[in-house]
Amino acid sequence: MQKVPLEIVIPIYNEGEKVLKLLNEFEKIVNTKIRVLLCYDLDDDNVFNYENHLKKCSFEVILVKNPLSGPCEAIKHGLNFGNSDCVIVFPADDFLNINIIDKMYSAFKNNNDIVVASRFIEGGSMKGCPLIKSILVRVASSTLYFFSSIPARDASNGFRLFSRKLLNTVRIESKVGFAYSLELLAKCNRLKFKIAEIPAQWEERS
């Protein structure tokens, strides 16, 4: 497998049409040389209906089978599947933040081992979120920022970049949900590896 600077891991579950639209936007907007890893659980995922379309992308797209089940295991497998210098975990239904992929890679090139896509710094936003969910997310992130040494104001967002150096140094122990992201952030900070934040947008989606 040819080495590329950046791999983008996208966990999917019957999101074939969204994936095609997302990849089309990647082709228009992303300048960094990428490989996309679509991490799926089941062999009957509807993404296979679009396999011929995936082969027409200007960058390599690989379908990666989750050996277990659930988003956490799919992402963990995707993070360790390739050979790029860094990996971004990107949601299949996020069409707001494609324009920051190059910025995240630039921040990695400035010797950062995690680049957090942050909703809670200047230029970031969180819109349409139910009030209780918004309060819980903001309180959790603020608590970690002010009462720990983790230099990130948005600790709970799973959308971020991880360096291959970090992924090769630590073992991900989380087994559910998106806990892996917070775990890697804490371990990166403990190792005194560099962490950067750049503004990201978020809107409530179905």
Side-chain angles (χ1 to χ4, degrees), residues 123-190:
S125 69
M126 188 173 182
K127 298 177 181 177
C129 186
L131 181 61
I132 296 300
K133 179 179 177 181
S134 177
I135 291 171
L136 289 172
V137 169
R138 291 175 186 275
V139 168
S141 292
S142 297
T143 299
L144 276 169
Y145 179 73
F146 288 111
F147 295 101
S148 77
S149 61
I150 295 175
R153 290 183 178 271
D154 192 348
S156 61
N157 196 352
F159 168 31
R160 56 188 56 153
L161 176 149
F162 305 99
S163 73
R164 184 66 59 190
K165 182 179 82 171
L166 174 65
L167 296 173
N168 287 342
T169 301
V170 303
R171 183 172 69 90
I172 303 174
E173 300 170 70
S174 300
K175 297 185 183 300
V176 295
F178 295 88
Y180 76 91
S181 189
L182 182 56
E183 177 190 340
L184 285 173
L185 187 67
K187 289 180 174 179
C188 183
N189 185 59
R190 186 182 66 194

Side-chain angles (χ1 to χ4, degrees), residues 65-95:
K65 175 71 181 288
N66 180 4
L68 298 172
S69 64
C72 187
E73 295 298 336
I75 291 167
K76 284 164 60 178
H77 190 59
L79 287 173
N80 293 305
F81 180 87
N83 59 8
S84 59
D85 297 325
C86 57
V87 186
I88 289 177
V89 178
F90 199 94
D93 58 353
D94 185 350
F95 297 93

Side-chain angles (χ1 to χ4, degrees), residues 16-32:
E17 287 188 17
K18 287 180 184 175
V19 166
L20 282 189
K21 180 181 176 184
L22 190 67
L23 298 180
N24 186 51
E25 293 301 307
F26 282 178
E27 290 197 299
K28 294 177 185 175
I29 297 169
V30 179
N31 293 313
T32 306

Side-chain angles (χ1 to χ4, degrees), residues 41-125:
D41 274 9
L42 304 174
D43 291 331
D44 61 354
D45 193 285
N46 72 4
V47 74
F48 287 99
N49 298 334
Y50 303 92
E51 246 185 311
N52 289 334
H53 296 280
L54 301 181
K55 294 174 183 176
K56 295 177 183 177
C57 290
S58 59
F59 44 80
E60 187 177 15
V61 180
I62 300 178
L63 290 161
V64 180
K65 175 71 181 288
N66 180 4
L68 298 172
S69 64
C72 187
E73 295 298 336
I75 291 167
K76 284 164 60 178
H77 190 59
L79 287 173
N80 293 305
F81 180 87
N83 59 8
S84 59
D85 297 325
C86 57
V87 186
I88 289 177
V89 178
F90 199 94
D93 58 353
D94 185 350
F95 297 93
L96 293 174
N97 292 297
I98 299 168
N99 63 324
I100 69 171
I101 289 175
D102 289 327
K103 296 176 184 176
M104 294 176 80
Y105 181 70
S106 293
F108 158 74
K109 294 290 285 181
N110 286 329
N111 299 315
N112 291 291
D113 289 285
I114 287 183
V115 182
V116 176
S118 178
R119 300 163 289 185
F120 305 138
I121 62 173
E122 185 176 354
S125 69

